[in-house]
Amino acid sequence: MPADPAVVSAAPETGIVLAPSGTPPHPLRAFWKHFAENRGAVASLGVVVALIVVAVLAPVFAPHDPYEQFRQFVLTPPAWVEGGSWDFVLGTDEVGRDILSRLIYGARYSLFIGFSVVAVSLVLGIVLGVTAAFFGGFYEIMVERLMDLIMSVPSLVLCIVIVAIIGPSLTNTIIAVTIVYLPRYVRLIRATAKAEKIKPYVTAARVIGASRFRVMFVTVLPNCLAPILVQAALGVSDAILEAAALGFLGLGAQPPTPEWGSMLASAREFILRAWWVVTFPGLAILITVLAINLLGDGLRDALDPKLKRS
Amino acid sequence: MTFATRLLAATILAAGLSTAANAKTLVYCSEGSPENFTPALNTTGTSFDAARPVYNQLVEFARGTTEVSPGLAESWTVSDDGLTITFKLRSGVKFHSTKEFTPSRDFNADDVLFSFNRQGDPNHPYHKISGGAYDYYNDMGMPDLIASLEKVDDLTIKMVLKEPNAPILANLAMDFGTIHSAEYADFLLKAGKPEEFDQVPVGTGPFSFVGYQKDAVIRYRAFPDHWAGAAPLDGLVFAITPDATARYAKLQKGECHVMFGPNPADLAAMKEDQNINLMSQPGLNIAYLSMNVEKPPFDKKEVRQAVNMAIDKAALIKDVYQGAGQAATNPIPPTIWSYNDAVQDYEYNPDKAKEMLAAAGVTTPMEVDLWYMPVQRPYNPNARRIAEMMQADLAKVGLNAKLVTYEWGEYRKRLQAGEHMLGQLGWTGDNGDPDNFFFLLGCAAAREGGQNLSKWCNKDFDDRLLQARKLTDKAERTKLYEEMQVIAKEEAPWVTIAHSVVYEPTRKEVKDYKISPFGRHEFYGVSIE
């Protein structure tokens, strides 16, 4: 039984170039070889890892408490600008909070939102998608039409509607974004699972008497994972962006939570007078989303070499 | 196309162009959408501003002043006992027409009766239309004040009061005293759509209503038959722009001529701008934090005083008002008569506040909620920022505040229902009388849904409030009001935050625009070069 057709199909090619001995390298190593070819992806992996480290160890890295208001230092410019101070490297915001510390703590929220949205929608997506593919019939139609319904409304608008109903908070932001991003996983998984389930190895598994559950989640699911992983990696950045947009509209994390989107929104009026208050949260969102997107691209190239060459 | 039709087309086109070139339309960048166009139903300046071009009152404030001047009533006489006021109505005043409705008669006493009875008479066919909450009418104590309102003849109205009331004329000049068309109301009632009465306004004002798209635009046309003469403008447009930065950008580009509430951060740049005329005036207003005395522990005076001491007011003035305001001590601004200079504000003293909380039996840390408005107000440039700063201050004394906000209409409704513990709001005076501020702390307004957000009802305070209304002697009233300020400070139902300076930027081509002490935006008499 092939463990992962995508990776296996990649293995012989690397085998020709790098492993004349005839033994194909371990799939993970082959994957890394392909991934490492893309410099941008490797660099962005570095950025993402660094972000995760900073987020996890926020209390170590942050010079100040992100909620502490230094009333004497309201709107202090960044250190390298005239009037700035090295106490507040990226300056302070409109009530005197250290922007660097807020950005560092904000990384926690953004990454947490991104990953939890993807984790929840992956789990739900896998369950709904695989069951829809296998059970078929009315159930499949129901699931599909429900997903069509969600997709027919622009994502941000739907998010706003959901948050307006259940009330603005960090948890509800995650719920709203999860619902909005669910269809892409469900549809992807259902389509891949449908293509897999008619293949001979699945029939073989059935013939030896594997239970339906086993066929669904042990036999078929691992072979659908490659496109799902790519989609999930890209989904993280989409979720971060969507959450920032909600925060910007005042519907996401509530003040004084240092969420990047809401930091951007509360500082909007200073865009002409104190550029740093608006610029740094914006840059933080940009860099994070860009890095995760590049990482996702690299992942896709490595997992699906056919796509890369085309 | 024949020559004749071509000529015709060209003529029409030319005519269209020439009117477009000559048409003087003033665009006002307003801050939000009105709830409807019947001022009696509303409590916000946003809704009043939108209804004002269309309507008149019996008596009115001369634009830019607090003086009461004749409106639809040409003159009035007050009886010696102060109980009867007889209004002589103006004759030949025309109402606007709409697509469906054309008035068959001029303004008369029936319209006055309709406008007040709708609010005061629970059996009036219009009383329950559009929610039927007449907050101003009730909070100003009108139901208890008016004994009768009678039509003497078509152009004479007699108002009998139960007791003498000093601010009555100024009260009638407020927006809830707006005069509607009784004929239009009957017409809509017969047509079976009375709700439209509050959505498509018909009045006697200088501008007639053309159309309204929520969150986008309100259009008015100058009314040529207006009783005081047609407006120097041809049209008036309210471009609804909730964001202050966007309003400023529109003003700079000439997309609007007058804008609501500039960002304090933009004032310096506006002063420099060649195209903009930045007018300013100390506002007749107060921003406050109401403490709901129905929610423990804020039922205790000591707790309320402690909150007063915990908040660093100087920092709020400096960082949020950015100089365009002064710290407030009393519930009325110093520009209003009877202001008590002797009242001392609570000092900023978090340590003492902590002790007082402990003495009052409050176990800290305690969870409280702190509400902030979602919109900018003339008295408060950024309620959210104030909330964030208060949150930090309160955390230092062990009160962990959760910040709460709702959509603006919903926000006020919930505050008035008393759902909050700590809630920010403010007040811009609308008749220049101290009573107009103090009633906010009176017992009549402390009912559920009333404008006394703290639900604070103090007998000493309320007795003086009611007594001062009956007196006509200004010195005696001043004495009572001064005592009330002492009580209000001691009992501390509010944290008085600030009195703001109101800034109104207009484009240079706007002529004769006047800042209203009441925070009104009035465009009759304004012209564009």
Side-chain angles (χ1 to χ4, degrees), chain A residues 186-204:
Chain A
V186 175
R187 292 174 68 126
L188 186 68
I189 293 163
R190 178 186 147 273
T192 343
K194 265 198 123 117
E196 287 295 319
K197 86 168 187 183
I198 48 166
K199 288 194 177 162
Y201 73 89
V202 182
T203 319

Side-chain angles (χ1 to χ4, degrees), chain A residues 220-298:
Chain A
V220 170
L221 183 61
N223 293 303
C224 310
L225 277 183
I228 298 172
L229 281 182
V230 173
Q231 183 63 50
L234 295 172
V236 173
S237 64
D238 285 342
I240 291 176
L241 263 188
E242 204 85 4
L246 282 179
F248 185 79
L249 294 173
L251 296 169
Q254 291 302 294
T257 316
E259 199 269 328
W260 293 343
S262 50
M263 282 171 74
L264 203 57
S266 69
R268 224 172 354 163
E269 64 179 276
F270 295 102
I271 196 158
L272 296 175
R273 216 187 78 184
W275 54 269
W276 57 92
V277 196
V278 203
T279 310
F280 294 122
L283 274 180
I285 296 173
L286 175 75
I287 291 170
T288 312
V289 170
L290 194 65
I292 296 175
N293 264 332
L294 285 176
L295 182 65
D297 275 351

Side-chain angles (χ1 to χ4, degrees), chain A:
Chain A
M1 225 193 298
D4 186 335
V7 175
V8 170
S9 73
E13 290 162 40
T14 45
I16 293 160
V17 183
L18 299 162
S21 66
T23 29
H26 188 270
L28 270 180
R29 178 169 296 173
F31 161 75
W32 177 251
K33 278 279 171 220
H34 275 288
F35 186 77
E37 277 172 28
N38 187 339
R39 296 247 179 100
V42 175
S44 50
L45 179 68
V47 173
V48 172
V49 169
L51 269 172
I52 293 174
V53 170
V54 164
V56 171
L57 300 178
V60 179
F61 285 99
H64 299 283
D65 177 348
Y67 299 106
E68 168 124 42
Q69 302 178 354
F70 299 94
R71 297 270 165 85
Q72 293 80 34
F73 300 99
V74 171
L75 291 177
T76 307
W80 61 89
V81 179
E82 199 186 325
S85 127
W86 283 103
D87 280 344
F88 307 105
V89 181
L90 297 184
T92 60
D93 70 0
E94 69 278 7
V95 287
R97 293 174 297 211
D98 180 43
I99 292 183
L100 179 62
S101 310
R102 282 177 76 71
L103 287 179
I104 290 173
Y105 276 87
R108 281 186 163 184
Y109 292 102
S110 290
L111 293 180
F112 175 69
I113 292 171
F115 286 116
S116 52
V117 163
V118 167
V120 177
S121 37
L122 256 188
V123 171
L124 286 178
I126 285 172
V127 171
L128 285 174
V130 173
T131 49
F134 274 80
F135 296 157
F138 182 66
Y139 173 72
E140 184 182 11
I141 293 173
M142 282 304 291
V143 171
E144 281 297 282
R145 291 299 85 78
L146 185 66
M147 295 305 133
D148 286 350
L149 194 73
I150 297 177
M151 285 183 90
S152 64
V153 183
S155 61
L156 188 59
V157 176
L158 188 58
C159 274
I160 292 173
V161 170
I162 298 170
V163 170
I165 295 168
I166 57 183
S169 77
L170 198 65
T171 334
N172 291 350
T173 304
I174 295 175
I175 294 173
V177 179
T178 305
I179 294 176
V180 167
Y181 282 132
L182 197 54
R184 47 166 87 172
Y185 298 100
V186 175
R187 292 174 68 126
L188 186 68
I189 293 163
R190 178 186 147 273
T192 343
K194 265 198 123 117
E196 287 295 319
K197 86 168 187 183
I198 48 166
K199 288 194 177 162
Y201 73 89
V202 182
T203 319
R206 281 211 179 115
V207 168
I208 6 174
S211 72
R212 205 173 199 185
F213 180 83
R214 193 183 160 83
V215 170
M216 282 195 302
F217 292 102
V218 182
T219 313
V220 170
L221 183 61
N223 293 303
C224 310
L225 277 183
I228 298 172
L229 281 182
V230 173
Q231 183 63 50
L234 295 172
V236 173
S237 64
D238 285 342
I240 291 176
L241 263 188
E242 204 85 4
L246 282 179
F248 185 79
L249 294 173
L251 296 169
Q254 291 302 294
T257 316
E259 199 269 328
W260 293 343
S262 50
M263 282 171 74
L264 203 57
S266 69
R268 224 172 354 163
E269 64 179 276
F270 295 102
I271 196 158
L272 296 175
R273 216 187 78 184
W275 54 269
W276 57 92
V277 196
V278 203
T279 310
F280 294 122
L283 274 180
I285 296 173
L286 175 75
I287 291 170
T288 312
V289 170
L290 194 65
I292 296 175
N293 264 332
L294 285 176
L295 182 65
D297 275 351
L299 219 52
R300 188 185 58 205
D301 293 349
L303 290 176
D304 191 355
K306 270 173 276 171
L307 200 71
K308 188 187 176 189
R309 259 181 268 115
S310 63

Side-chain angles (χ1 to χ4, degrees), chain A residues 67 69 71-72 74 94-95 97 102 168 247 250 254-256 262-263 265-273, chain B residues 243 245 248 263-266 312 315 318-319 322 348 372 382 384-385 388-393 396 403 405:
Chain A
Y67 299 106
Q69 302 178 354
R71 297 270 165 85
Q72 293 80 34
V74 171
E94 69 278 7
V95 287
R97 293 174 297 211
R102 282 177 76 71
Q254 291 302 294
S262 50
M263 282 171 74
S266 69
R268 224 172 354 163
E269 64 179 276
F270 295 102
I271 196 158
L272 296 175
R273 216 187 78 184
Chain B
D243 184 73
T245 313
Y248 178 34
N263 262 332
D266 292 334
D312 184 1
K318 181 173 137 283
D319 296 330
Q322 303 183 39
Y348 170 56
Y372 65 93
N382 195 328
R384 175 179 150 158
R385 191 160 301 146
E388 284 189 57
M389 294 178 75
M390 283 182 173
Q391 188 183 36
D393 286 337
K396 283 183 196 147
L403 300 191
T405 191

Side-chain angles (χ1 to χ4, degrees), chain B residues 52 94 250:
Chain B
R52 212 167 275 131
K94 304 270 184 255
K250 281 186 169 183

